[in-house]
Amino acid sequence: MIKKLKNVSLKIKKKYMELSEKFSDNSYKSNLDCYKNRNQNNPSKIQKDISQGKVTEFVVWDYIKKLGLEPTKPDTKVYKKNKKSYKADIKVGRYDLHIKSQSIEQSKKYTESWVFQPEDPLVKTPKKKDIIVLCIINFEKNEILIKNVIFATNAMDLYKDPKVKYLIEKKVVLYNKDLWI
């Protein structure tokens, strides 16, 4: 399964974009405090980030279904403030997939990289079943590229500080150039 996930370009279906935007509209207010802790106060940027992450989950989920597997559907539950779930975005058989996205614009600005919460169990104490799926989203081309896939246990020593100074100590980053798998 993992080999079939690497370097795959996937089209964004309109229905997944709509579902993601609706999810973002419903959930961004419960995420405002988390974003404020990262000096991010722009509501439209926060909504865009949430929508981007969710549409990536839906597109990857759809692709995995097309491979003949039976993934769980992305979670669209709106959690209360400070009740962030660190559960896998998608489960496939015995594996827990954690889908991470970065916009093409951000990848050009900061290089291909994905941001994580330092306290996330995926970062601190990953399990053998945890897989990180790293994606680049290009809204102009209406596509998502699965850039890399790595077992979370193999990523433990690869997290680095972000290039954005105010995120240091608040976030950790995986840089694609550091991934050998």
Side-chain angles (χ1 to χ4, degrees):
M1 171 189 74
I2 292 175
K3 288 182 182 179
K4 291 183 179 182
L5 289 177
K6 261 189 173 177
N7 291 313
V8 177
S9 180
L10 306 168
K11 285 295 176 192
I12 301 171
K13 292 181 181 177
K14 183 179 178 182
K15 67 179 178 180
Y16 296 141
M17 198 66 233
E18 290 169 352
L19 281 169
S20 300
E21 288 171 353
K22 182 179 177 185
F23 173 76
S24 176
D25 289 344
N26 292 334
S27 67
Y28 89 97
K29 287 181 182 175
S30 69
N31 287 283
L32 288 176
D33 288 342
C34 291
Y35 280 86
K36 281 182 183 176
N37 288 340
R38 295 179 249 160
N39 296 323
Q40 297 171 333
N41 299 304
N42 182 338
S44 62
K45 167 81 167 89
I46 294 168
Q47 283 183 286
K48 183 179 178 185
D49 289 351
I50 293 169
S51 179
Q52 172 184 302
K54 193 56 66 180
V55 76
T56 304
E57 291 174 26
F58 274 115
V59 171
V60 171
W61 167 76
D62 189 59
Y63 176 68
I64 292 170
K65 283 190 344 182
K66 288 179 181 168
L67 292 176
L69 301 170
E70 296 180 15
T72 59
K73 198 169 184 176
D75 184 6
T76 54
K77 179 181 177 186
V78 176
Y79 293 90
K80 293 180 181 180
K81 278 185 189 182
N82 303 323
K83 297 290 181 191
K84 179 173 172 34
S85 170
Y86 288 109
K87 289 189 257 177
D89 298 308
I90 300 170
K91 292 179 180 261
V92 183
R94 65 180 182 191
Y95 296 109
D96 288 352
L97 276 57
H98 303 266
I99 315 300
K100 299 297 284 183
S101 66
Q102 181 188 41
S103 70
I104 190 78
E105 296 83 11
Q106 294 295 312
S107 73
K108 289 175 181 175
K109 187 174 181 178
Y110 300 112
T111 74
E112 292 177 349
S113 54
W114 296 269
V115 180
F116 297 77
Q117 306 272 36
E119 68 274 9
D120 186 337
L122 186 67
V123 173
K124 290 179 78 170
T125 55
K127 296 178 176 57
K128 289 181 181 179
K129 65 181 181 174
D130 290 324
I131 297 173
I132 306 169
V133 181
L134 304 166
C135 303
I136 299 288
I137 187 165
N138 186 332
F139 286 113
E140 283 185 23
K141 291 186 177 180
N142 200 39
E143 69 180 8
I144 291 172
L145 175 63
I146 300 176
K147 200 66 184 167
N148 218 324
V149 180
I150 186 170
F151 278 95
T153 52
N154 292 342
M156 287 181 72
D157 296 331
L158 301 176
Y159 294 100
K160 294 186 176 172
D161 285 336
K163 289 184 176 186
V164 178
K165 300 286 185 221
Y166 68 82
L167 292 178
I168 294 173
E169 295 185 18
K170 295 179 182 181
K171 294 289 188 175
V172 292
V173 178
L174 279 179
Y175 291 95
N176 198 43
K177 65 180 178 59
D178 296 332
L179 306 178
W180 63 90
I181 296 176

